[in-house]
Amino acid sequence: MRPLGELEAEIMNRLWAWGRPATARDLLADLTRTRPLAYSTVKTVAEILYRKGLLRREKEGRAWRYEPTCTRQQYTAALMRDALGDNPDPAGTLLSFVERMSPDEVEALRSALRAAQRRSEE
């Protein structure tokens, strides 16, 4: 899975935060609060995200309503899996990553590992 471009990330972040499907016009209305964008640009980027498999769409009248195919957490996990899968030293990569984590992030990792351990024991 490839990292998102700037506008792709903005669109996905809004859809993840909203937790509901949205049209390109809905996205444009929110995005233009912080910078000028054309409707055609937002529509094109939403279509690119659809073709990449990150959005699904459903026709509503003449417009498409888009929603994510995965959660933010699932997307981030896929990026992490790809980074580890391409690396000849996954243990070293993980160690470097953990060394840069905050204490709260380390505790979240410990909690996730405990939860994964419990699931594997069931």
Side-chain angles (χ1 to χ4, degrees):
M1 179 154 304
R2 295 177 55 196
L4 297 171
E6 182 183 341
L7 185 54
E8 290 175 327
E10 286 187 56
I11 287 172
M12 292 302 296
N13 285 334
R14 278 165 175 76
L15 290 169
W16 282 322
W18 293 344
R20 62 170 172 78
T23 65
R25 283 218 187 279
D26 296 332
L27 291 161
L28 178 68
D30 196 57
L31 290 164
T32 55
R33 288 196 253 168
T34 56
R35 66 177 168 151
L37 284 169
Y39 170 74
S40 59
T41 301
V42 174
K43 187 174 181 209
T44 297
V45 174
E47 285 298 311
I48 290 168
L49 289 165
Y50 167 74
R51 286 194 303 270
K52 287 181 175 182
L54 291 168
L55 294 179
R56 67 178 137 260
R57 66 184 187 183
E58 187 173 311
K59 196 79 161 166
E60 183 177 280
R62 292 178 35 194
W64 290 108
R65 204 168 264 291
Y66 297 95
E67 67 180 316
T69 58
C70 63
T71 65
R72 182 189 318 260
Q73 293 81 0
Q74 290 167 331
Y75 172 76
T76 304
L79 288 175
M80 293 167 71
R81 271 193 310 274
D82 287 351
L84 289 174
D86 292 344
N87 194 302
D89 181 16
T93 301
L94 286 168
L95 178 59
S96 292
F97 180 71
V98 170
E99 288 173 341
R100 290 176 176 84
M101 294 173 77
S102 71
D104 287 344
E105 291 168 333
V106 170
E107 185 50 43
L109 177 59
R110 284 187 179 120
S111 176
L113 289 170
R114 285 191 298 269
Q117 181 66 35
R118 283 192 298 271
R119 285 187 195 137
S120 70
E121 292 171 355
E122 292 176 353

